[in-house]
Amino acid sequence: MVGETITTTANKARVKPLEWTGGRLRLLDQRLLPARVEHVELDRWQDVVAAIQSMQVRGAPAIGVAGAYGLALAASSLAHLDAEPFQRDLAAARPTAINLPWAVARTLRAAEAASTPAEAAELALAEAEVIEAEDLRANMAIGAHGAALLPPNARVLTHCNTGALATAGYGTALGVVRAAWERGALAGVVATETRPLLQGSRLTAWELAQEGIPVTLIVDGAAASVLRDGGIDAVIVGADRIAANGDVANKIGTYALALLARAHGVPFYVAAPSTTVDLDTPTGDAITVEQRDPDEVAAPLGVQAAPEGIAVSNPAFDVTPAELVTAIVTERGVHTPPYAESLRAEAD
């Protein structure tokens, strides 16, 4: 990939997954965490597509912001080239998350108002910056709304990574965790490894450790026993797409956690910005689930863990039915069933 690699030292300041600097998109390379903290700087929209596909940047809100900046990199050509390749390739880099095509389309609409390539680039960049700022504000509001749902001294279980690394810099489900911690209302977090790419152990545990928030890591298969043994007050997860009826697409393993939470009487909350709600998708059956490289399962992180040539299924997401979701938290408030009504009312 074209772009300069910059190595930095980790510190206890809140991590930031991406930023626009010097006419380039600067990404924290999440594939290398927690062993190394390195940044790449990208100056071509094609490199942004590759970064999203390879998960150098990941998380539905974060890839939406990255896609917007990717279009800003391409925008100088919009006045004399067909914009369709930019929109198609950026939006399709990861197909499950609605935030990516939404942000790319919004940035493109802003750029198309220009009369010159220079103006198109300026308008696209301005829109990308607005999208980033809006996501950060939304995350803070999600945190406040979600923290209010938790009892004092709460202990929560979470899956995958939904924090600063997955957003513009605060988090959705981990935004709720952060808000509760800041209020003195959180005892600690149980984080699943989140196989096969270990976003829970590599990213969530790292993020929380950076801020001194108590976290206990478990393997995915231990969640049933942890919930059975009690002491978990809520399961909180993020989302990559929420259908109009409240079905939720999120990292593979989320559906299993929802079933376990229901079996053990633990509330199951989904925290996501309103941009993740897709009212044009009626139910979860209509959500495209991304299938990823089999080697992520057979040879995770480059370590051969299965026989060569064995058949592998590697869906990156699953869909949790709305009836298993206790509440959906967005920046606009807490939504409860029937979601077809409460989510629609939010959009009106």
Side-chain angles (χ1 to χ4, degrees):
M1 179 178 293
V2 176
E4 180 183 2
T5 299
I6 302 162
T7 303
T8 60
T9 301
N11 57 56
K12 291 190 177 181
R14 182 161 297 141
V15 296
K16 190 170 178 62
L18 76 176
E19 63 180 329
W20 183 266
T21 179
R24 291 178 166 186
L25 180 61
R26 188 174 192 259
L27 300 178
L28 174 59
D29 191 340
Q30 298 188 35
R31 301 172 306 176
L32 306 179
L33 290 172
R36 304 205 310 273
V37 180
E38 294 185 1
H39 292 80
V40 294
E41 292 188 353
L42 312 178
D43 55 13
R44 301 190 316 139
W45 70 270
Q46 295 92 337
D47 294 335
V48 177
V49 172
I52 292 170
Q53 289 173 328
S54 69
M55 296 177 66
Q56 281 185 298
V57 61
R58 42 144 303 280
I63 64 175
V65 174
Y69 280 120
L71 193 64
L73 288 172
S76 61
S77 302
L78 292 179
H80 56 84
L81 286 179
D82 181 8
E84 193 272 337
F86 309 131
Q87 187 174 19
R88 180 196 63 228
D89 292 351
L90 278 167
R94 298 198 68 194
T96 300
I98 186 61
N99 304 65
L100 181 55
W102 170 84
V104 170
R106 175 172 158 177
T107 308
L108 179 59
R109 286 195 300 272
E112 286 175 337
S115 56
T116 67
E119 186 184 7
E122 181 180 336
L123 291 175
L125 177 58
E127 193 68 19
E129 290 172 337
V130 169
I131 290 171
E132 180 181 5
E134 287 177 352
D135 183 66
L136 184 56
R137 288 195 299 270
N139 286 191
M140 301 288 284
I142 289 167
H145 292 310
L149 296 172
L150 301 178
N153 207 36
R155 194 162 181 255
V156 304
L157 187 149
T158 192
H159 188 58
C160 196
N161 174 262
T162 57
L165 289 168
T167 65
Y170 189 75
T172 54
L174 282 195
V176 175
V177 165
R178 283 193 167 93
W181 179 252
E182 290 160 4
R183 295 178 180 191
L186 183 76
V189 179
V190 174
T192 60
E193 282 183 305
T194 319
R195 299 194 176 197
L197 294 181
L198 304 179
Q199 295 99 320
S201 59
R202 292 190 306 105
L203 306 180
T204 293
W206 181 79
E207 269 199 57
L208 295 177
Q210 295 298 297
E211 297 190 36
I213 298 175
V215 56
T216 299
L217 180 66
I218 63 171
V219 298
D220 291 7
S225 294
V226 169
L227 287 165
R228 179 201 61 195
D229 291 345
I232 298 295
D233 296 291
V235 177
I236 310 175
V237 300
D240 286 75
R241 190 181 301 236
I242 300 172
N245 73 332
D247 291 349
V248 174
N250 192 50
K251 183 58 56 187
I252 191 73
T254 300
Y255 180 26
L257 285 177
L259 289 167
L260 290 170
R262 174 60 59 87
H264 296 289
V266 176
F268 182 88
Y269 299 125
V270 174
S274 58
T275 52
T276 302
V277 178
D278 182 8
L279 296 179
D280 292 330
T281 297
T283 72
D285 292 338
I287 296 175
T288 299
V289 173
E290 176 187 2
Q291 295 285 333
R292 292 189 59 82
D293 189 338
D295 280 347
E296 292 179 350
V297 175
L301 306 181
V303 178
Q304 192 66 38
E308 294 279 358
I310 194 170
V312 173
S313 174
N314 185 21
F317 304 94
D318 55 27
V319 176
T320 298
E323 57 265 27
L324 296 177
V325 178
T326 306
I328 296 172
V329 184
T330 75
E331 72 275 19
R332 297 174 183 173
V334 177
H335 303 272
T336 54
Y339 295 114
E341 297 178 8
S342 60
L343 293 174
R344 179 72 63 179
E346 174 178 278
D348 292 341

